[in-house]
Amino acid sequence: MEIAKKILTYESQYQTKVANGLSQADVENRLAEYGENRLPEKQPKSFLQYLIDALKDITIIILLIATALSTYVALTNHPDDLTEPIVIFGIVLLNLYLSINQQKKAEKSMDKLKSFSIPQAKVKRVEGTETIDSTKIVPGDIVLLGVGDRVPADGVLVSATDFLIDESFLTGESEPSEKNPNQFSAADASLGDRKDRVFSGSLVTSGKAEMIVTETADKTEIGKISNLLQTEEVKPAPLQVRMQKLGKILGAVAIFAGLLAIVIGLLRGYPLTEILMIAISMSVAAIPEVLPVVVTISLSYGMSNMAKKNTIVRTPMAVETVGNLSVICSDKTGTITQNKMTVKKVWLPDGGLKKVDETLSADEKKLIQYFYLASDRETGNPTELAINKLTQNQFTYSEVETFMADYQKIKEVPFDSSRKQMTVVYQVDDGFLSITKGAFDRLKFQDQPQEAVAIHDELAADAYRVLALGYKFWSTNPQDFTTDQLENELTFGGFIGIIDPARAESAPAVAMAKKAGIRTIMITGDHLLTAKKIARQVNILTDGQKAMTGADLAKLSDEELNQQIDQYSVFARTSPEDKIRIVKALQQNNEVVGMTGDGVNDAPALKAADVGIAMGGGTEVAKEAADMVLLDDNFATIVDAIKEGRRVYSNIRKSLYAMLGCNISALSIVLISLLAGWGAPVTAIQLLLIKVVADGIPGFSLCVEPADDDIMARQPIKKGTSIFAGGLLKNIIDISIVFTVLSLIAVVAAKYTNLFAGNNSMIFLVLGLTTIVHMYNCRSKRSIFKLGILSNKLLLTTTIAGSIILMLVVITPSVGSVFGLTNISGLSWILVAILSIMPLVYVEVKKRLGLFGQKEKNLNLGKSYKVS
């Protein structure tokens, strides 16, 4: 029989059977049926599994094959010199390390959920009351709860005394919830409204209770969240997808080039070892071995920059993904608003609506005094703090002490989310006074003014949280009266209007996001009118956009939500569970979604989003499920992160432009030389040296390039867009032709003229130095003379260092011999210098004529949204 069906059985048997608890036989049977009360654990991947996954990368496979072939050639021709295979294998090991590191996306959210598990619990059994390991609790057990205990499983209360419980990690409500075993919960009620139920992991803050366990392990609410976290697959980031596609393309090129070299070599009668060496050179030329390192450094530098702006990035790929966001689903309180409740208005029936910074009458000050008396002055609740601050602004410290001396508190009925009010009873000179404050529609007045409803609605429509106050004098001590007696037939006192104002930076940040083609959606548990007002203030809710409540959302099927999601910019009165539906609907519409959250049951939605953004003050479970953590909970910080993400992706494309020009030209030169019968003009180890010294070291400097001025005026990049989009491929082919022509000039000069006679050192130098000079072309679509040579000092330093290293390799006999290089004549050095500077001259002329491809501006875009 299902657990849910047993609830009624346990309740009906409580008076007869539960008094003594379950027998040991009952417990053993239930343990066999339901298992132990522990959350399921996902088996972590072993290092071998990570290694196998990394070896699926075709570029690594090709480099391993090149290592094997190079080893064979070295052992055949020069067994005492294994430099080339060792260098190639070193590159393989570096790429394997980086690949495995990227795979290890932190899956610690499951570990953090364990912090809500309870080591021990007190239960009633036939043998008596005992403290047991909570994993041995079974459905039907009676658990005794007291202050400081965590609930070990989900269950139904059968008795409770002054019982308050903190379940904010599940419901999002900051106030402890008052539980009532006599209040029956509807099956479809939200967790916060199930007043006769308690949930695993909740903390008892007041009173004591007895519960019957109804669900254990993964059947509990926290267990369901655990299952969602395990079943919600981690999707590859857009950059990962693009890099995987790039790897397959380059891998295919490398295989084709290697096979082509073998076929041509065989047809032209080259020796087998020479054919293999040429094939290795072709394969190595096609693979940008240092690109993974450049990508990793770019992401790491982006993480460092984001940390300086209050964003901690937990998963490196999120740095780039956040730059692709097309939708931000943001909470209201503390993210769009300041989360600093402030009393701004006060209303008395005979005094009219006033701002609190105006001169207040004695009656209006008396109303503030009563609100202060009816408040919990020890809590950090924002509403209570707002009332306390108002009192401090209206009264001096001595005035507060004076009027408080006249009131002796004898009873307090705490605020309860189901009643939406709290009551405090004081003894005064002429009797007793009870004061009740809370939601206007929950207080029961005997003399409510006619205009009160209109004033309330006016304030609510202006995004105010309205608190009403009522009071009642008693001639006899009401200490033993029920809550209903105390809170009935109240005298109407008045209203205060409390507002959590929007952050000053929210509206500009939303406007910047819109300009960047990013749509902002507000998701909040607040009142619809309040949510709409704040959303309009910061221009989230504009003409043509709609707002929806959680109740309306529940009426829509997933298909209907997918079709209508573009019409809505505000979701109010929502539970955290609604977020995952909204994320899925947006993703079905091909959006790249960022989602904010802070609670345990926000974790599945944070994980499902393309970028999960947890609040710094949120739960650890939410932080571990997210990709980023905002230390200041500020919407503007998300926009700053988007700008940084776009800068990182732009710089990765610049690095790709720099590296592939060299790779394609190297392939072309080797192929042309092979067809012409010249043999291989450069060897694999020479190409690797060029890629590390000329591509890699200066290429790292492109990672620190600042964002282009127009980066936040561009639209988000649509999912599936090629990394070569926006003219990048055209630019790469263009510059590779230039490199090829220049290198061929060096080849011809070295082979057919006495003036430049020598070995392949000239080709080596031209390939390396043109690549280094080309770095300055890659920085921006603007002229380098407008940017300034010194504006990237790291690039200047690394290009000078790279040039010196390449030249020293050639002119130092002991080093050059390792790489198969010898020194060249002075005239050859002059030719090398002239050829090396030509890429810069060529691209600068194109920039001056306006012919340089706009690499970033015209990417294949996703949806764009009109800026209001």
Side-chain angles (χ1 to χ4, degrees):
M1 186 166 46
E2 294 178 1
I3 294 177
K5 293 180 180 177
K6 292 187 176 184
I7 295 176
L8 293 176
T9 304
Y10 295 144
E11 289 179 334
S12 64
Q13 292 179 347
Y14 176 65
Q15 298 301 325
T16 56
K17 179 180 178 180
V18 174
N20 296 321
L22 299 176
S23 67
Q24 189 60 36
D26 287 332
V27 172
E28 289 176 1
N29 289 336
R30 283 171 167 79
L31 276 174
E33 182 178 356
Y34 303 113
E36 290 192 339
N37 179 35
R38 64 172 78 242
L39 294 179
E41 297 185 18
K42 191 173 183 179
Q43 198 67 23
K45 287 175 74 172
S46 66
F47 174 78
L48 181 60
Q49 288 172 308
Y50 280 119
L51 181 61
I52 291 170
D53 288 343
L55 288 172
K56 293 176 183 177
D57 187 333
I58 190 170
T59 58
I60 289 178
I61 293 172
I62 290 169
L63 288 174
L64 282 172
I65 294 171
T67 303
L69 292 175
S70 180
T71 303
Y72 168 77
V73 171
L75 291 174
T76 303
N77 292 350
H78 41 82
D80 57 334
D81 183 9
L82 298 176
T83 304
E84 185 170 285
I86 289 172
V87 170
I88 298 175
F89 189 62
I91 297 290
V92 172
L93 291 179
L94 177 61
N95 284 346
L96 279 173
Y97 169 77
L98 293 171
S99 177
I100 291 171
N101 246 19
Q102 287 182 2
Q103 284 186 63
K104 290 184 175 181
K105 173 177 169 62
E107 289 291 341
K108 298 178 183 176
S109 50
M110 290 301 304
D111 295 333
K112 291 298 179 180
L113 277 177
K114 292 175 188 174
S115 66
F116 291 94
S117 64
I118 296 85
Q120 292 186 318
K122 188 180 290 185
V123 298
K124 276 186 182 181
R125 296 271 172 86
V126 169
E127 296 80 6
T129 300
E130 54 184 306
T131 300
I132 65 168
D133 187 327
S134 65
T135 62
K136 305 302 180 184
I137 286 174
V138 295
D141 258 328
I142 302 165
V143 178
L144 308 181
L145 299 170
V147 176
D149 290 340
R150 283 203 181 271
V151 181
D154 288 6
V156 177
L157 289 175
V158 291
S159 68
T161 305
D162 296 328
F163 193 60
L164 295 176
I165 195 163
D166 179 2
E167 51 192 19
S168 58
F169 73 102
L170 282 174
T171 64
E173 292 191 20
S174 57
E175 296 285 349
S177 177
E178 184 177 18
K179 296 294 183 176
N180 182 356
N182 299 316
Q183 181 178 332
F184 178 75
S185 298
D188 60 349
S190 65
L191 296 185
D193 292 331
R194 298 182 189 180
K195 296 304 177 184
D196 59 337
R197 301 293 304 269
V198 289
F199 305 104
S200 179
S202 301
L203 178 67
V204 179
T205 60
S206 175
K208 59 182 180 178
E210 289 185 14
M211 63 173 277
I212 301 173
V213 174
T214 56
E215 288 90 22
T216 57
D218 60 352
K219 299 296 190 298
T220 62
E221 292 299 326
I222 200 168
K224 293 173 186 176
I225 293 169
S226 170
N227 286 332
L228 280 173
L229 284 171
Q230 290 199 51
T231 56
E232 189 62 49
E233 292 295 327
V234 178
K235 303 176 187 67
L239 181 60
Q240 284 176 301
V241 174
R242 292 185 178 104
M243 296 305 290
Q244 287 166 3
K245 288 181 179 178
L246 175 64
K248 290 176 182 177
I249 293 169
L250 295 177
V253 170
I255 292 171
F256 176 77
L259 292 174
L260 185 60
I262 292 171
V263 170
I264 296 173
L266 289 172
L267 291 174
R268 294 194 64 90
Y270 286 97
L272 179 61
T273 53
E274 189 173 350
I275 291 172
L276 290 178
M277 289 180 66
I278 294 171
I280 293 168
S281 297
M282 295 284 276
S283 299
V284 169
I287 305 297
E289 292 85 358
V290 293
L291 183 60
V293 184
V294 170
V295 170
T296 300
I297 291 174
S298 294
L299 296 175
S300 299
Y301 184 66
M303 291 174 71
S304 175
N305 285 345
M306 288 183 179
K308 294 173 184 176
K309 294 188 176 181
N310 297 313
T311 303
I312 302 301
V313 181
R314 298 187 57 258
T315 52
M317 282 293 174
V319 173
E320 183 272 339
T321 308
V322 74
N324 287 335
L325 290 183
S326 58
V327 177
I328 303 172
C329 295
S330 175
D331 188 22
K332 177 182 74 69
T333 304
T335 307
I336 300 295
T337 64
Q338 298 175 17
N339 197 22
K340 294 179 181 178
M341 303 297 281
T342 306
V343 181
K344 290 289 188 181
K345 294 190 177 181
V346 60
W347 180 74
L348 288 175
D350 298 326
L353 192 60
K354 279 190 179 179
K355 294 181 180 178
V356 295
D357 53 5
E358 298 178 21
T359 302
L360 301 183
S361 67
D363 288 340
E364 287 160 343
K365 286 198 169 189
K366 187 71 172 179
L367 175 65
I368 294 170
Q369 180 181 326
Y370 271 22
F371 267 107
Y372 182 74
L373 289 166
S375 298
D376 184 347
R377 294 179 291 279
E378 303 299 324
T379 184
N381 178 278
T383 299
E384 306 289 28
L385 290 175
I387 293 172
N388 291 344
K389 186 175 181 180
L390 173 67
T391 306
Q392 293 167 11
N393 291 339
Q394 294 294 328
F395 300 94
T396 65
Y397 180 77
S398 59
E399 286 174 332
V400 173
E401 279 196 322
T402 300
F403 74 65
M404 286 301 296
D406 297 331
Y407 297 90
Q408 180 183 348
K409 185 192 290 189
I410 60 173
K411 181 173 182 175
E412 179 177 320
V413 182
F415 176 83
D416 176 67
S417 58
S418 63
R419 292 168 38 250
K420 299 291 184 185
Q421 55 192 299
M422 71 173 289
T423 297
V424 184
V425 180
Y426 289 94
Q427 184 173 353
V428 293
D429 289 340
D430 52 352
F432 300 89
L433 170 67
S434 65
I435 308 173
T436 301
K437 80 172 194 304
F440 173 61
D441 58 349
R442 298 296 181 92
L443 269 61
K444 299 172 184 175
F445 300 112
Q446 64 176 350
D447 56 350
Q448 178 178 306
Q450 291 183 350
E451 68 269 35
V453 174
I455 296 296
H456 171 274
D457 291 348
E458 177 186 337
L459 288 169
D462 283 337
Y464 284 91
R465 181 182 179 192
V466 183
L467 281 187
L469 183 135
Y471 59 91
K472 192 171 184 179
F473 286 99
W474 307 82
S475 57
T476 57
N477 191 337
Q479 184 170 3
D480 297 326
F481 287 7
T482 65
T483 299
D484 284 343
Q485 287 176 301
L486 287 172
E487 295 178 349
N488 258 305
E489 297 185 350
L490 301 173
T491 300
F492 183 83
F495 290 147
I496 55 173
I498 307 176
I499 195 166
D500 179 12
R503 291 177 180 265
E505 60 269 32
S506 290
V510 171
M512 183 181 292
K514 283 187 177 182
K515 185 178 180 182
I518 304 164
R519 177 180 167 207
T520 304
I521 294 176
M522 178 191 288
I523 304 175
T524 178
D526 214 334
H527 193 280
L528 180 63
L529 288 174
T530 303
K532 288 169 68 175
K533 181 68 177 181
I534 294 293
R536 285 197 180 97
Q537 285 179 1
V538 298
N539 290 321
I540 290 176
L541 187 62
T542 56
D543 293 343
Q545 287 291 299
K546 301 177 184 177
M548 177 188 288
T549 65
D552 295 330
L553 180 63
K555 296 174 185 176
L556 296 178
S557 67
D558 288 343
E559 185 177 347
E560 289 171 329
L561 182 58
N562 293 346
Q563 293 171 352
Q564 298 179 31
I565 191 78
D566 284 346
Q567 303 173 28
Y568 291 88
S569 291
V570 175
F571 292 87
R573 284 294 194 225
T574 54
S575 65
E577 294 89 342
D578 293 326
K579 288 187 175 183
I580 198 165
R581 286 194 69 203
I582 296 169
V583 169
K584 298 282 189 184
L586 290 164
Q587 288 174 331
Q588 283 294 313
N589 287 356
N590 208 33
E591 305 286 6
V592 182
V593 183
M595 168 65 72
T596 69
D598 56 9
V600 168
N601 58 348
D602 290 336
L606 291 172
K607 189 174 179 181
D610 296 284
V611 179
I613 305 167
M615 302 296 108
T619 62
E620 289 302 312
V621 178
K623 293 177 187 177
E624 294 295 344
D627 302 291
M628 297 165 46
V629 179
L630 298 188
L631 299 182
D632 59 0
D633 299 359
N634 191 341
F635 181 83
T637 304
I638 301 175
V639 178
D640 286 339
I642 290 170
K643 182 177 181 180
E644 180 61 23
R646 291 188 174 191
R647 186 198 67 80
V648 167
Y649 184 61
S650 176
N651 287 350
I652 289 173
R653 280 168 51 90
K654 292 172 183 177
S655 299
L656 199 60
Y657 177 38
M659 293 178 187
L660 290 189
C662 172
N663 286 25
I664 294 174
S665 64
L667 276 175
S668 303
I669 293 161
V670 173
L671 183 60
I672 293 170
S673 297
L674 191 59
L675 288 170
W678 299 336
V682 282
T683 65
I685 195 169
Q686 289 169 1
L687 283 172
L688 284 173
L689 181 61
I690 288 170
K691 289 184 175 187
V692 171
V693 175
D695 259 353
I697 297 174
F700 301 153
S701 308
L702 293 176
C703 303
V704 303
E705 277 291 320
D708 296 331
D709 293 340
D710 64 343
I711 203 160
M712 289 303 283
R714 303 168 189 166
Q715 299 295 297
I717 302 171
K718 189 176 180 180
K719 283 182 179 178
T721 300
S722 168
I723 198 167
F724 294 114
L728 179 57
L729 182 59
K730 177 179 175 295
N731 286 347
I732 290 171
I733 294 172
D734 184 50
I735 199 65
S736 65
I737 293 172
V738 173
F739 284 166
T740 302
V741 170
L742 295 172
S743 298
L744 285 175
I745 292 172
V747 172
V748 171
K751 287 192 173 291
Y752 296 109
T753 68
N754 293 327
L755 291 175
F756 305 102
N759 53 31
N760 58 357
S761 295
M762 278 182 61
I763 298 93
F764 169 80
L765 285 169
V766 170
L767 263 178
L769 294 176
T770 51
T771 301
I772 287 175
V773 169
H774 179 54
M775 292 291 167
Y776 291 94
N777 295 329
C778 301
R779 290 186 58 194
S780 172
K781 59 181 178 286
R782 296 171 60 201
S783 167
I784 187 62
F785 301 107
K786 291 182 179 178
L787 286 176
I789 297 290
L790 298 176
S791 58
N792 187 334
K793 293 180 180 178
L794 181 60
L795 180 62
L796 181 63
T797 302
T798 53
T799 51
I800 291 173
S803 301
I804 292 172
I805 290 171
L806 291 179
M807 290 186 286
L808 284 175
V809 168
V810 172
I811 64 177
T812 308
S814 59
V815 179
S817 62
V818 174
F819 293 95
L821 299 168
T822 58
N823 201 356
I824 58 176
S825 67
L827 195 60
S828 297
W829 278 110
I830 293 172
L831 180 60
V832 166
I834 293 170
L835 293 176
S836 299
I837 202 71
M838 292 310 295
L840 181 65
V841 175
Y842 174 76
V843 174
E844 280 296 318
V845 170
K846 288 191 71 175
K847 288 180 179 179
R848 178 63 63 91
L849 298 175
L851 301 175
F852 186 68
Q854 304 300 300
K855 296 185 297 174
E856 301 286 352
K857 198 169 184 179
N858 300 316
L859 291 176
N860 181 19
L861 305 177
K863 294 182 181 179
S864 60
Y865 297 89
K866 184 179 179 182
V867 181
S868 297

